[in-house]
Each structure stands twice: as structure tokens, then as C-alpha cells.
Amino acid sequence: MFVARSIAADHRDLIHDVSFDFHGRRMATCSSDQSVKVWDKSENGDWHCTASWKTHSGSVWRVTWAHPEFGQVLASCSFDRTAVVWEEIVGESNDKLRGQSHWVKRTTLVDSRTSVTDVKFAPKHMGLMLATCSADGVVRIYEAPDVMNLSQWSLQHEISCKLSCSCISWNPSSSRAHSPMIAVGSDDNSPNILAKVQIYEYNENTRKYAKAETLMTVTDPVHDIAFAPNLGRSFHILAVATKDVRIFTLKPIRKELTSSGGLTKFEIQIVAQFDNHNSQVWRVSWNITGTVLASSGDDGCVRLWKANYMDNWKCTGILKGNGSPVNGSSQQGMFNASLGSANTSLQNSLNGSAAGRKQS
Amino acid sequence: MEKMARVTTALGGNTITGRTMFCHLDAPANAISVCRDAAQVVVAGRNIFKIYSIDEDQFVEKLNLRVGRKPSLNFSCADVVWHQMDENLLATAATNGVVVTWNLGKPSRNKQDQLFTEHKRTVNKVCFHPTEVYMLLSGSQDGYMKCFDLRKKDSVSTFSGQSESVRDVQFSIRDYFTFAATFENGNVQLWDIRRPDRYERMFTAHNGPVFCCDWHLEDRYVFRFDIRRFFLRIAKYWNRLPRELVESLSLEKLYIAAGPLPTDTTGEGRCMSCLMLSAWALNYAPETSFLMLLPWLTDSGNNLTLPLLPSFSPWGQVAQTWTMLRIIYSSPGTVPSANLNHSLGKGSTSLPLMNSFNLKDIPPGIGNESRLERSKGESRSENILMDSSSTLINNDENEETEGSDVPADYLLGDVEGDEDELYMMDHENPHAEEQEYILPQEAFPLRHEIVDNPSALDHLQEKADSPHVSGNEAETVSLTPVESFSLISISHSLYENRLPTDFFNPIVRDMLLFYAEQGDVQMAVSVLIVLGDRIRKEIDEQTQEHWYTSYIDLLQRFQLWNISNEVIKLSTCRAINCLNQASTTLHINCSNCKRPMSNKGWICDRCRQCASMCAVCHHVVKGLFVWCQGCSHGGHLQHIMKWLETSSHCPAGCGHLCEYT
């Protein structure tokens, strides 16, 4: 059973992205009204908007939090071809009394010539890095060498994808056996380009990102892509939102040579493909243990997917956009009861958007 | 199966000795059944149908029931059952669809009594009613179950499962009218005998065919066996099983296993000793399944046992895993006897524990699951598991007790909760085990003398005395509480001092890798910490580091900083340990000239002024110094506190509105 709570967001236009911070106590929303709102969760579980400000001069597509060890840092990207890094300033007792915190623009990344469609911070063990992708098919990776100075970001890598990119996802695995990896999804509509998901891996020898794999089976425009958190797994799980929900596993094929020697070869398998949404799937998001996947689609529902002990993925819950459960979701009454105790923590730990788009 | 073996346990004092005996059968056997007092066993197969008596040290063939010049197909049996009330009554299920009853009291050579030819296909199972002498139930490959009254010539009622073939039928001990039937499509149906038109309940138990089921004696729980998936995994390892082990494996499961087992080249493949058990409390979700593990499945370096352990529901199996680890790594000497007496607690033996165990009270699955969710960040999850399992012992209480906090340095064998956990396992095992579950005693050399489980010994004692009570057929009987014995105690008895403690290291390593692949990093890290050096060398540094990092990250998400720090402190991986060592120095700058101060005295070298002066009293602060983070002025704790009561401006006069948290 799920408890859904409705928050009046007060955005004046479509909300494009919702993002939770590392601990799940703060939330950021961004919208076509060019503003970003930051919400804090109080002790009794209510969400209060603690900041709302105009961020860009165009629709803001995505917003994302950095790891708290770098401070309270947000990044947003927009149709106005820029990506901006924001930091929260502590102090200013006047605002505190009113309950408002103050966010300061630290840097604007203006290298893109087209709309920037996604921005994502890299996993914490890589330092303070972020990647942006834009509609001209270029993925840019920036790094701030000094974590104390957020205004200095340098462009480290430019990856040309040859396809208009719509989403990126970092591989969050902190294992030293896994080199940094980015998955890029494309919503390119041109008919001659087929494979819409590419995986780029950092090559220690050439010190560049090179394409490691292409998922040939994904041929429809990709709206969202997400690596599952890797808590000790030797392989990777990737979820893709296209016209249906797809889950891939990427198993690194062992090479005799150790870390040197170039890119890893992966054995890619599709472990699940669900078209229960019967429409375009817009967002996919994993929980923090990487065991439950949430997907949202044009049918206005959020579906949760979980694998059972035999690695069969199944739908474990359906929520309508207004938060009410759909009756078909409870397969057996008993089944949901056993999930019940896990739900409250699941709810909290759903990172990222539960509903792709909400009308304000 | 070409051989039949029986293992007895005879106890003298604290030692366990056992006997294994076997005899060669001429032909493969499909089923066996013991009579009421377990002095005789009937073996039935395609080409064999004999009765053996179980003597002290050997099997003696008593009777060959296949008589007649022309062997008819009626003798080819898929199942045999000996009536538990009537010594002379046997029933067999034949592969041609015939149900035959046999009366051993007949004077003629052919003991065949009645013949029911009502099924169209192989009859897979026959089952007598536990209390009624004349009621016989049969389940057949044609999907029908028939109930026969032996006083009549035809069947009394027919039950149609509307499903695929019936693989097993079993009367309920408790309910007079209820029986369970399992099917090839994984369904389990419950029927009332008075109502042949439809089933009472049906649920899907497994993904594959359900070959065997059994009722719990006291409560309305049915246990299912679906070992098909298992055997596909076991098949790989059969060639490597030591010969002695294979020969002495017990038989009952062969019957169950006969169907799906792939035969391997040596022909030993039919033996199995590993059961997957899916506990189905009828009121609970299918998720509460767990695995019964017989530890002597392994041989040196054979990764057979533990990886199969956690194949199914996570929660019950985690508790099991800890028990297994404890068995493997703890030596009895470290467990003080005082511990045991205390934990036994409830009575002089733990028999009362068994008797009053009620699965319904605290299902291990659900209990553990909710606890684990609540205490997700607890690195001492094993304690929690044990605590929740120890509540199972509290027969009188139906609610879970919040387990006591087990001391932080949990070492195997030192914690009282351990004993309880062992006994929790006892509870689960008997339900799985069958009445005459004859475990091989000498499959492995004994690891050590049993000194830490006197209660378990008592069980075995009882078992040797009265091995059979009024139960059902050997194949699908469930233990009465009195007869049940601890699987764990059996496992203890199998190990002798000769087995090195790191004998199981490869298996444990595989188990850890398994858990990690599932994403259950908490389990992997907890085991690493608990086992410490014992397992450290088995897993490479990189993987360990990855697990620790992920787990600490997870803990930090929940803001469980203290626990995460403990994990860092206790970790076995050097790269993680040093996380605690970073950023441990504080540099102090002189408050006047802002240059780093040397560590001697209170006078700054450079500006020759006293550092850290209290802003209120203008003296050097030698005790607690507090300062405002905004303007970096401060002083004695008491002075600043007193100052702030009156004014919130900085006492140094800089005009800052000081904030002290």
C-alpha cells in the first residue's frame, strides 16, 4: 500500500523534473515557468517550499542535486542553452526567520549551441564533476578542481554522440573495478539512425571517454535512462524509458588483463520489457538499493517494478497520477501486505521523479 | 536408486554414533514406505516390489510381492503406502492407472486384495486417511483424484482439479475432511472430501511442478517441495560427490526426486539431500519461503550448499545463513555451558520449545523482513534477526518482543541469542522433515564432539527409541513435535575435529558473492565484519572495498553516521579503515596574525601575542573555547554564555550578531 501526498507546487507552468537530494529530505522542482523551487521536508513529513527563484530564460528541463559533501549544490539545465550551478548560502538571518534560504548562482556553462536537455552530477568518488547533454548531440563533462570554489568549472571532455541526446546517466558504482561510465539516450527521430542508447566508458590509457557499447535493440526515441545503484553487484543494470520500460543488465566480460588494456566488453541482456503503460514511458527512476524501478508514462500512472528471487521482473504497484492506487495492482492481497512494511521507506527513498509531469 | 540406506543414531552420553546400512536392490525403486512400527519397509518400483525388515545391522528381504508367472503391469508401482493403523494393509499406485491394495495377511502368495482401475493414466500418489482405515485417496497424471472406500468396489468420489496432472495428494492430519493436492503447473489445491465438485482453495505455489507436499501436524500449514530447480543445479556437482556420501544418503527424498532428476552418468545422480522448502502458511504470503539446508551436501571445495541457500525468499534465508556460519566457524569450546543453560530456559530440554512452537505466531519471514526494514542501517542486523527469531521461542507470547541489544562485539558463540537462533532453526526443520528422515551420520567425519547442544541430543535419543509414531507414509509425513530433531544437531554430529575451520571458506565466499549480486550488500558486509580475518583472504580487496563503500554510502543516506563509523572502524579492508584516519588533525591559527601556531604554549611565534584570548575577560583561554563561526571571536564557554544572555552582539566589539549553536 502506498501513501500518496499531494503538494501544491504553485508552478505556473509544466513541471519537468523533480529531484530528491542524497538524504531524501530536500526536493527540487523545475518548470517551464523558468524557475526552480526547493522544498524541505519538516519533522512531521510535510514539504515546505524554502526557495523559489527564476533560474533561466527558457524552460528548465532538469534539476539535480550534488552529493552533500560538496555542500548544498544544485544544477539546472534549460532550453536557453545553458546549464547553471547553484549553491545555497547559509546565514542571512532575515531570510531564515521567514523560512527562506538563499541560493546563489555559482557558474553558468554556456558551451552548448542548442538546448541542454540533461545535467547530472557524477558519483561522489569521482570528485565534483557533472555532465550535460544537449540537442546537438554533444555530451560535455565539466569538473570543478577545487571543491571549495564552485565558480571554477573546466570542460574536461566533449563526447560527440552524433544523435540528438535527451538524457544521460552516470554509472554510480564505486568499485575500482568499474571505470566511469555514462549512458546516453537519444530521442532523435531521424529514420536512418537506429540505436538510441550509447554507453561511453572512460579509458584510463587514452584518458578519454570512448563508446563501449550501443544497445541495438532500442530503436525508439529514448526519454529517460537510469543506471541502478550498484551496491556490490559485479554487473550493471540499466533502465530505459522509451515506448516501453526496458531493463538491461550489462555484465563485464572478464579479461585476462587487468585494468589496463582499454574498454571493457559487456554482455548485454534485456531482462525485462514492459509495455503496461501502453504509451510512451517518460521517466524511470531507481530506489537507493537498486532493487525497485519506478516508471511513469503517458497513461498517467506510475508503475513499480521489482525482481523476484528468480530474477523475473514484475509489476508490484500502480499509482495513478493523483496518487490513488489502481485496483489491478494488488495481485494478491497477501502480496501487498508483505510489501507494506517496506513501503514507507521505499517512498522516502524514491529518488527522482515519481511522476514525470504534473500539472500545477 | 539402486541402494537403500538407513541411518540410525544411537546416543550414549554426549556422543553421537550412527549406523549406516544399505542393501542393493535389484532394480530402481520409486517409493518406499515403512510400517507403523518401522520394523519393516516396503520398496516399490517399476520392477520391484518387496518388503524388507529393518534389522540391527542389515536389511533382510522378507517378502517379494511380485508373484505370478506373468508379471502384470499392476506391479509396476509409482508409489506405495503402508497403512499406519493396519499392519497388513498396503496400497500401491501403478503406472497403468491402477490402484491396488494388498493384504499381507492373506495366506496365498499373491497378496493382492483389491484392484481399482479407474484412472486413465499413471497414478502418481496414493494416500491413506490418517484415521479412517478404509479411506484411500489417489492422484493421477490424468488430473483427477479419486477417493476409494476399501469396502466398496468402486471409487466413492472423484475430484477434478481442472489443472494439469496431480503430483501429490495428502490428507490433512488435523482436519478430518481436508486434503491437499499439488499439480504440475505449480498449483496447490485444498479440497474438502465431502464436496467433490470444487476445491476449497487454490493458490499457485511454484513456478514449476510441485512434486510433494506435506501438512504440518498442528497447524494448517502445508509445505511444498519443488525441487526441480534445485536438481538442475545439483546435477552439475554429482560427479564430485564423494562416494561414501552418495551411498549413505537417505531415501525418502529419492521418491520425491525421482521424477525431475536428471540422471547423470554415474547413476548416483538420483540421490539428493537438499531440499527446497516453501513454507506456506495458508494465511501468509508466499514470500515466507525459506530453505532447508543439509550441510553435509558439500565435499571439499564443492560449492554446493550455501549458494543454494539463499535461492529464495530473502528474510528467512538470512537467518539461516547466520546459523550456518555459526556452525561452520564456531568451535564448541568457546561456548560456555552457562550460556546454554540460560538460553534453554524454558525447560530442562528444549522439547517444550518444539511442542509449542507455532509458526503462526511469528512467521520468520515477515518478522525478519519488517525488522530489517526498520533497522536497515543496522550493521548488527544479525542480532536483530536473532532477536526476532528468539521470539519464536516464546511460545506463550504472540507478539514480537523487541530483542535485547546484543553487545556490539558480536563474536560467534559468545552471544546468548545464538542459542535461540539455533532453536529457531529447529522449529523450521521439523516441519520440513519427515518422520523417518534418516540422516546419514557418517557421511562426513565428525567435526567435533557435541558439547553445546544437549537438547538436541535429547531429540536424537528420543528418535532412536521410538522412531515411528502414528504418522503417515514415509514419503510425506511430517514430524510430530516429540519426534522432531534438530537438523543443526545432526549437522554438528557430522563434523569431526579433522575438518579444518576454513574448509567451508570457498562456500562462504560464494555465498557472499551471491548476496552481493542480489544487491544485499548489508549481508555481505555484516558477514565480512563478523568473520573478520577468517574470510578476509578469500575475497579480493577490490570487491571488499566496493562492498564497504557501498554500504557506508547507504548508511550515510540514512544519516546513520555512528553506525557508518563503526563499520569503518571494524572493517577488514585497509582502504576503508583509513577513512577514519583522514582529516583528524586540527590546525589552529593564531587569532591575531592568522598564522599557524606551533603546538607549544599559548604565545604565537610570529606576533608574540597571546593567542585565543577570551573576548569577555581578556585572558588566555585554557579550557573550553567557543567561538562564533561568523566573526571568529570567542572565549570561555561560561563567559560567552553569560554574555549572550544579555546581548547578542559580539563581545569583542566587532558588531557581529554572533550565533552559537
Side-chain angles (χ1 to χ4, degrees):
Chain A
M1 301 308 149
F2 301 101
V3 176
R5 196 183 291 125
S6 175
I7 306 166
D10 275 340
H11 274 292
R12 292 186 297 279
D13 204 333
L14 289 176
I15 299 177
H16 291 291
D17 198 16
V18 175
S19 176
F20 283 101
D21 77 330
F22 182 72
H23 298 297
R25 292 190 199 285
R26 306 192 81 180
M27 184 170 75
T29 59
C30 66
S31 156
S32 269
D33 65 0
Q34 303 174 7
S35 71
V36 165
K37 284 185 197 276
V38 173
W39 306 78
D40 280 4
K41 191 172 183 187
S42 61
E43 268 81 44
N44 52 353
D46 299 325
W47 292 89
H48 303 285
C49 178
T50 56
S52 169
W53 73 104
K54 180 171 184 302
T55 47
H56 288 274
S57 44
S59 294
V60 189
W61 297 129
R62 305 267 187 159
V63 67
T64 179
W65 291 85
H67 192 274
E69 79 172 9
F70 304 116
Q72 297 295 305
V73 179
L74 272 181
S76 59
C77 67
S78 154
F79 179 72
D80 66 357
R81 309 186 300 271
T82 63
V84 180
V85 176
W86 306 88
E87 190 181 8
E88 187 180 33
I89 294 298
V90 182
E92 304 295 325
S93 38
N94 288 345
D95 282 340
K96 267 225 187 96
L97 291 171
R98 268 187 281 128
Q100 292 291 311
S101 58
H102 190 56
W103 288 79
V104 166
K105 180 192 292 206
R106 285 301 184 207
T107 183
T108 313
L109 307 169
V110 295
D111 301 89
S112 172
R113 295 304 165 88
T114 50
S115 156
V116 182
T117 49
D118 201 355
V119 62
K120 285 283 189 314
F121 279 102
K124 154 190 96 156
H125 60 89
M126 292 173 59
L128 189 49
M129 277 175 89
L130 60 77
T132 61
C133 74
S134 48
D136 58 7
V138 180
V139 173
R140 292 180 175 86
I141 300 180
Y142 299 85
E143 185 175 9
D146 180 8
V147 299
M148 299 308 293
N149 183 2
L150 287 177
S151 2
Q152 289 294 24
W153 291 78
S154 59
L155 175 62
Q156 301 283 76
H157 299 102
E158 255 188 28
I159 308 173
S160 176
C161 296
K162 305 188 183 50
L163 295 175
S164 144
C165 309
S166 62
C167 47
I168 48 178
S169 173
W170 286 94
N171 183 354
S173 167
S174 55
S175 164
R176 275 189 287 137
H178 301 144
S179 35
M181 217 188 323
I182 297 188
V184 182
S186 154
D187 59 354
D188 207 316
N189 268 323
S190 51
N192 48 340
I193 300 184
L194 284 184
K196 298 278 191 317
V197 175
Q198 298 168 42
I199 316 252
Y200 290 90
E201 196 187 8
Y202 185 68
N203 187 342
E204 283 293 335
N205 296 348
T206 63
R207 277 195 287 235
K208 282 194 198 315
Y209 280 85
K211 188 183 320 197
E213 289 292 343
T214 314
L215 296 183
M216 303 302 298
T217 50
V218 183
T219 52
D220 304 288
V222 172
H223 304 294
D224 199 12
I225 194 168
F227 270 105
N230 186 330
L231 294 180
R233 262 188 262 110
S234 64
F235 59 94
H236 313 294
I237 301 183
L238 182 66
V240 179
T242 72
K243 69 169 172 31
D244 48 24
V245 179
R246 290 188 212 186
I247 305 178
F248 295 88
T249 55
L250 289 83
K251 294 193 176 25
I253 303 175
R254 277 186 82 81
K255 300 181 299 187
E256 269 57 51
L257 317 155
T258 49
S259 55
S260 64
L263 296 172
T264 333
K265 280 264 162 259
F266 290 97
E267 180 199 329
I268 302 181
Q269 276 180 339
I270 180 163
V271 293
Q273 185 166 350
F274 299 109
D275 57 356
N276 299 39
H277 284 283
N278 272 329
S279 50
Q280 295 290 325
V281 181
W282 284 92
R283 287 299 162 90
V284 281
S285 173
W286 291 94
N287 70 340
I288 54 176
T289 51
T291 47
V292 181
L293 176 70
S295 68
S296 65
D298 257 340
D299 60 343
C301 288
V302 172
R303 282 182 164 78
L304 298 173
W305 312 92
K306 193 173 196 292
N308 70 355
Y309 61 86
M310 302 203 1
D311 286 330
N312 291 333
W313 286 83
K314 283 194 162 108
C315 177
T316 62
I318 312 179
L319 274 179
K320 289 214 272 268
N322 58 2
S324 57
V326 171
N327 272 342
S329 67
S330 52
Q331 294 159 337
Q332 282 124 17
M334 303 188 268
F335 188 81
N336 269 342
S338 73
L339 271 186
S341 57
N343 282 342
T344 44
S345 53
L346 207 68
Q347 193 81 333
N348 281 339
S349 50
L350 268 179
N351 257 331
S353 54
R357 295 176 294 179
K358 291 185 286 194
Q359 294 285 347
S360 58
Chain B
M1 153 190 97
E2 306 273 342
K3 305 189 214 305
M4 186 165 68
R6 175 195 173 225
V7 175
T8 61
T9 49
L11 298 175
N14 275 346
T15 60
I16 293 185
T17 59
R19 304 196 67 110
T20 307
M21 43 194 207
F22 59 90
C23 75
H24 279 273
L25 307 170
D26 315 315
N30 282 339
I32 64 172
S33 178
V34 282
C35 69
R36 186 177 53 187
D37 54 4
Q40 299 190 327
V41 59
V42 58
V43 179
R46 264 224 159 76
N47 294 318
I48 180 174
F49 190 23
K50 289 189 186 173
I51 294 183
Y52 289 83
S53 81
I54 304 176
D55 288 347
E56 256 315 302
D57 50 1
Q58 55 171 338
F59 290 105
V60 178
E61 177 182 330
K62 271 273 167 354
L63 196 55
N64 184 355
L65 290 161
R66 265 179 98 100
V67 290
R69 260 165 300 139
K70 208 168 51 128
S72 83
L73 271 183
N74 297 343
F75 288 109
S76 153
C77 315
D79 186 26
V80 67
V81 62
W82 203 320
H83 202 290
Q84 291 306 309
M85 305 257 201
D86 187 345
E87 278 262 305
N88 285 335
L89 187 53
L90 286 170
T92 57
T95 49
N96 58 352
V98 167
V99 174
V100 190
T101 59
W102 307 79
N103 183 354
L104 295 179
K106 271 182 158 185
S108 63
R109 262 184 69 205
N110 187 357
K111 310 281 181 201
Q112 186 171 311
D113 197 9
Q114 278 170 301
L115 212 67
F116 301 100
T117 54
E118 303 208 12
H119 282 291
K120 298 189 193 51
R121 291 183 65 186
T122 306
V123 182
N124 282 324
K125 187 81 170 49
V126 280
C127 171
F128 276 113
H129 193 278
T131 45
E132 282 294 314
V133 184
Y134 296 110
M135 224 190 305
L136 174 67
L137 195 57
S138 68
S140 155
Q141 194 77 5
D142 59 4
Y144 287 92
M145 297 151 280
K146 286 188 187 288
C147 178
F148 299 94
D149 186 328
L150 297 181
R151 297 167 290 197
K152 300 198 189 150
K153 258 201 357 197
D154 297 315
S155 68
V156 171
S157 29
T158 306
F159 307 90
S160 164
Q162 315 282 347
S163 254
E164 299 188 19
S165 329
V166 182
R167 278 288 173 174
D168 192 6
V169 285
Q170 191 69 238
F171 271 110
S172 159
I173 317 286
R174 193 160 164 172
D175 294 321
Y176 186 91
F177 295 109
T178 312
F179 70 88
T182 70
F183 295 86
E184 258 199 51
N185 55 1
N187 282 343
V188 173
Q189 293 176 357
L190 292 174
W191 289 80
D192 185 320
I193 255 201
R194 300 164 287 188
R195 200 177 161 194
D197 56 332
R198 51 159 287 146
Y199 48 77
E200 299 294 311
R201 277 180 84 155
M202 174 171 93
F203 38 87
T204 310
H206 292 275
N207 282 333
V210 185
F211 290 108
C212 173
C213 71
D214 194 5
W215 287 90
H216 182 271
L217 270 192
E218 296 193 327
D219 296 291
R220 298 180 185 80
Y221 301 103
V222 188
F223 293 86
R224 308 261 172 276
F225 291 77
D226 174 11
I227 25 106
R228 213 179 51 156
R229 182 174 144 95
F230 254 70
F231 288 112
L232 298 177
R233 296 172 78 168
I234 293 181
K236 288 188 279 200
Y237 300 102
W238 275 327
N239 297 341
R240 301 200 264 150
L241 283 178
R243 218 181 151 82
E244 307 72 39
L245 170 66
V246 165
E247 280 178 358
S248 59
L249 284 177
S250 68
L251 306 181
E252 296 75 25
K253 300 303 167 290
L254 294 181
Y255 157 75
I256 303 166
L261 274 190
T263 46
D264 73 336
T265 51
T266 65
E268 299 168 349
R270 298 299 192 92
C271 303
M272 65 76 73
S273 47
C274 195
L275 320 171
M276 191 284 286
L277 180 65
S278 191
W280 285 81
L282 296 183
N283 305 326
Y284 291 107
E287 269 68 10
T288 55
S289 50
F290 47 83
L291 183 62
M292 288 302 122
L293 225 314
L294 307 181
W296 34 262
L297 240 197
T298 64
D299 68 348
S300 50
N302 190 322
N303 307 327
L304 191 48
T305 318
L306 286 173
L308 296 178
L309 221 182
S311 299
F312 300 95
S313 157
W315 308 122
Q317 83 211 18
V318 177
Q320 288 246 4
T321 312
W322 283 108
T323 312
M324 296 300 302
L325 287 174
R326 185 176 182 282
I327 295 169
I328 291 172
Y329 285 101
S330 69
S331 57
T334 65
V335 180
S337 51
N339 245 355
L340 300 162
N341 294 335
H342 174 78
S343 59
L344 277 181
K346 311 297 180 289
S348 53
T349 69
S350 72
L351 276 182
L353 296 174
M354 305 295 235
N355 280 334
S356 36
F357 170 66
N358 193 344
L359 183 57
K360 205 194 299 191
D361 286 345
I362 296 131
I366 303 272
N368 291 345
E369 176 188 49
S370 56
R371 281 174 177 276
L372 269 168
E373 281 299 334
R374 268 185 266 133
S375 59
K376 179 73 169 133
E378 276 288 309
S379 65
R380 297 290 166 230
S381 58
E382 65 273 20
N383 298 337
I384 307 267
L385 281 172
M386 286 189 318
D387 290 332
S388 68
S389 60
S390 66
T391 63
L392 290 172
I393 316 293
N394 293 329
N395 11 14
D396 305 326
E397 300 152 16
N398 277 353
E399 57 277 350
E400 296 176 8
T401 58
E402 287 288 331
S404 56
D405 278 318
V406 190
D409 46 357
Y410 164 77
L411 292 171
L412 291 168
D414 282 359
V415 178
E416 290 176 3
D418 271 349
E419 308 305 317
D420 292 340
E421 183 188 341
L422 279 183
Y423 297 127
M424 180 201 86
M425 292 307 126
D426 297 348
H427 298 224
E428 294 173 345
N429 296 343
H431 308 147
E433 293 324 304
E434 301 174 342
Q435 177 60 32
E436 289 87 25
Y437 190 56
I438 354 182
L439 283 178
Q441 289 300 300
E442 279 109 28
F444 265 163
L446 288 182
R447 185 186 189 181
H448 49 243
E449 300 297 307
I450 305 304
V451 295
D452 56 344
N453 281 317
S455 57
L457 301 184
D458 289 339
H459 292 308
L460 293 168
Q461 178 76 49
E462 301 226 355
K463 168 120 175 71
D465 292 343
S466 56
H468 309 291
V469 271
S470 61
N472 293 340
E473 307 77 14
E475 299 92 37
T476 50
V477 96
S478 57
L479 286 174
T480 63
V482 173
E483 305 310 312
S484 56
F485 52 85
S486 157
L487 197 55
I488 305 304
S489 66
I490 298 292
S491 72
H492 275 299
S493 70
L494 296 175
Y495 304 131
E496 206 174 359
N497 288 326
R498 295 204 294 263
L499 263 190
T501 13
D502 55 358
F503 181 76
F504 289 103
N505 273 357
I507 297 159
V508 178
R509 182 201 59 201
D510 282 346
M511 173 201 76
L512 291 183
L513 287 172
F514 176 87
Y515 272 115
E517 294 285 286
Q518 301 252 308
D520 189 356
V521 70
Q522 179 172 265
M523 185 67 195
V525 168
S526 311
V527 173
L528 275 182
I529 291 180
V530 164
L531 292 181
D533 282 327
R534 290 175 252 212
I535 195 68
R536 201 175 144 178
K537 37 191 168 8
E538 295 282 334
I539 308 197
D540 69 313
E541 276 286 310
Q542 238 183 21
T543 318
Q544 280 192 39
E545 202 186 318
H546 181 206
W547 291 350
Y548 277 111
T549 318
S550 313
Y551 188 50
I552 290 167
D553 198 57
L554 192 60
L555 289 173
Q556 289 180 342
R557 281 217 194 237
F558 287 97
Q559 296 178 315
L560 295 165
W561 312 110
N562 286 342
I563 315 267
S564 109
N565 211 41
E566 256 189 73
V567 172
I568 294 178
K569 203 166 61 168
L570 293 169
S571 80
T572 55
C573 176
R574 232 161 308 140
I576 302 295
N577 265 332
C578 68
L579 284 179
N580 261 354
Q581 310 297 325
S583 309
T584 50
T585 1
L586 277 177
H587 298 283
I588 304 180
N589 282 5
C590 168
S591 41
N592 298 323
C593 60
K594 312 285 186 258
R595 280 186 232 128
M597 265 180 57
S598 63
N599 50 2
K600 292 202 271 274
W602 303 99
I603 309 274
C604 170
D605 304 327
R606 316 259 171 1
C607 61
R608 302 259 170 243
Q609 286 181 24
C610 285
S612 48
M613 307 283 272
C614 172
V616 176
C617 68
H618 299 288
H619 287 340
V620 176
V621 180
K622 294 206 175 114
L624 275 178
F625 185 94
V626 287
W627 69 99
C628 164
Q629 309 222 342
C631 64
S632 75
H633 294 133
H636 292 104
L637 172 66
Q638 309 295 331
H639 295 168
I640 300 288
M641 273 172 61
K642 212 151 163 246
W643 176 273
L644 284 175
E645 280 165 21
T646 51
S647 158
S648 57
H649 285 274
C650 178
C654 66
H656 183 247
L657 287 161
C658 287
E659 298 241 344
Y660 289 87
T661 53

